[in-house]
Amino acid sequence: MSEEQETADEIGQLVDDAVKAAFEHVTNELQAARPDVFGLSMSGLGRCRRAAAYALARTEPSDPDLVLHGEKRAAHLGTAVHRMLLPALAHALGGTHEVPVLLADGSVSGIPGILDLWWPSKRAVVDVKTVREYKLDRVLVHGEEYEHRMQVGGYALAQDARWVVWLYLDRSSGQTVRVVEEFGPEFRREVWHRIWEIQKLAETPEYAPRDERGPGLSYQCDGCGWLRRCWGSTARSGESGAQAHIAVDEPAVEAALAQYAMHRDEEGRHKKLKAFWRAVATGGGRKPGTYGRWRYHFTKPGYGLDQKTIRKDYADRGVEVPVKEEAGRLMVRPAKK
């Protein structure tokens, strides 16, 4: 095709393809530098216990390509922020960044990891987590995530730290929320208990608990090297459905329906509570702004389809409104006796 025949869409598609190829290239380069991708590391301590058990037991992965290949854009953007920020942060605190550590857990190889930042004058482990804005909200309410707690606790054990610091950073704005905790005896016991639990589960990893919701409903499952081994041969990354094989008999289906009904009712209750607290916080002409640890604002008004007007317009012109088939709604009610 000559230059005169090229279209903007074709040029744009070439750019899209190049961006995809670039992220895949970065994935391949990073994985080549990690010789033990499927072994247990610090980052796996707080994740799904079955995945951790598979890793510690050296179970052959059923889906290695989910780990070794792909674009993994969010992860790479997080890595880029780390490479920019950590050296400067280490310089400002007087510390060392990207420190290899090894926790002796009684096994031959130990549990390896790479600590973001070691602050020796305070004996503090500092770990940077790049997230989206909504996760900053969760940290403000609930504190650090359990997965991150166990990971950084593992680093602290390996370094005999006194303090642990989680620094959550919104990668779109640079806003940060930090959590600081003394690494005392109770925290140490919590981490060791998790390690010992994984060691015990690794003896029979197929019976270890699943801590994630399965393909299509969990990012961790969608990128797990043991996806089909865990969820069955029909499991596909990004597609739900394999969860059905958990309900092997009528009592299991009954229990699943009961759980669905409970969470449905909780969802309705939480919607009402959200509406109430919204009215409390933003009503009465109160101006948006910062209030202690929280701030709020309203986005610009948007536009949605005016269904009533559209239907009237079609009816006036004698034309049927175009429709598409949709899946039926799931209705769960107590069975009639």
Side-chain angles (χ1 to χ4, degrees):
M1 181 180 294
S2 67
E3 291 184 0
E4 291 78 8
Q5 294 175 310
E6 290 177 331
T7 67
D9 286 343
E10 290 167 342
I11 296 298
Q13 187 60 55
L14 291 174
V15 173
D16 292 344
D17 293 343
V19 171
K20 179 177 183 295
F23 275 107
E24 290 174 340
H25 177 71
V26 174
T27 299
N28 295 336
E29 283 195 331
L30 289 178
Q31 299 298 8
R34 296 172 56 201
D36 194 14
V37 177
F38 297 105
L40 181 64
S41 65
M42 297 289 191
S43 61
L45 286 180
R47 294 180 180 174
C48 174
R49 283 173 289 177
R50 183 174 290 198
Y54 280 142
L56 188 59
R58 297 288 175 175
T59 305
E60 186 72 20
S62 57
D63 304 84
D65 285 350
L66 294 180
V67 177
L68 298 174
H69 305 295
E71 298 179 50
K72 306 184 187 304
R73 297 192 180 195
H76 295 327
L77 292 175
T79 299
V81 172
H82 277 69
R83 288 177 175 174
M84 176 276 296
L85 180 62
L86 287 181
L89 188 59
H91 177 75
L93 292 175
T96 308
H97 69 283
E98 295 186 314
V99 181
V101 296
L102 185 68
L103 177 60
D105 64 336
S107 65
V108 175
S109 58
I111 304 175
I114 300 179
L115 166 61
D116 278 354
L117 195 151
W118 172 241
W119 188 4
S121 65
K122 304 299 180 184
R123 286 177 54 209
V125 166
V126 181
D127 196 69
V128 177
K129 297 298 181 188
T130 58
V131 297
R132 295 182 179 178
E133 184 178 22
Y134 75 90
K135 280 209 172 181
L136 294 186
D137 298 346
R138 290 177 57 183
V139 173
L140 280 171
V141 175
H142 303 291
E144 77 285 350
E145 294 190 3
Y146 179 78
E147 172 188 339
H148 303 155
R149 182 175 181 81
M150 291 299 99
Q151 177 186 7
V152 180
Y155 295 145
L157 280 177
Q159 290 293 99
D160 191 25
R162 181 186 174 190
W163 297 98
V164 293
V165 180
W166 296 268
L167 184 64
Y168 288 87
L169 183 148
D170 178 0
R171 54 178 171 260
S172 66
S173 68
Q175 181 184 357
T176 58
V177 170
R178 51 109 175 110
V179 182
V180 181
E181 183 176 341
E182 189 168 7
F183 192 58
E186 186 175 342
F187 195 170
R188 290 172 181 267
R189 284 193 295 270
E190 186 181 351
V191 180
W192 277 122
H193 182 272
R194 180 69 171 194
I195 293 171
W196 295 331
E197 181 186 23
I198 293 172
Q199 289 174 339
K200 184 65 177 177
L201 292 172
E203 296 174 5
T204 52
E206 300 292 352
Y207 295 97
R210 298 182 183 93
D211 294 319
E212 294 293 322
R213 299 180 304 278
L217 302 177
S218 163
Y219 289 119
Q220 285 192 30
C221 290
D222 286 336
C224 181
W226 296 279
L227 175 64
R228 284 179 295 167
R229 188 178 189 96
C230 181
W231 290 96
S233 60
T234 62
R236 297 291 181 270
S237 177
E239 301 177 10
S240 63
Q243 292 85 347
H245 87 273
I246 294 177
V248 296
D249 52 25
E250 184 173 324
V253 177
E254 178 188 8
L257 290 172
Q259 286 290 318
Y260 176 88
M262 180 186 71
H263 289 292
R264 174 200 62 198
D265 295 341
E266 283 293 299
E267 181 182 28
R269 185 175 71 87
H270 283 298
K271 284 183 178 179
K272 292 177 181 177
L273 286 171
K274 279 173 58 181
F276 171 73
W277 290 114
R278 174 189 171 113
V280 170
T282 68
R286 182 170 291 122
K287 293 182 179 180
T290 299
Y291 297 85
R293 296 188 303 163
W294 294 93
R295 61 183 172 83
Y296 82 86
H297 69 282
F298 294 101
T299 60
K300 293 181 179 179
Y303 295 92
L305 290 176
D306 185 339
Q307 298 283 355
K308 184 177 180 180
T309 302
I310 290 174
R311 291 183 181 279
K312 183 177 184 304
D313 175 64
Y314 271 76
D316 290 346
R317 292 186 287 118
V319 180
E320 289 189 6
V321 179
V323 295
K324 63 178 181 180
E325 185 176 358
E326 296 181 346
R329 291 176 57 201
L330 174 61
M331 305 297 291
V332 177
R333 297 287 185 270
K336 295 181 179 179
K337 298 291 186 177

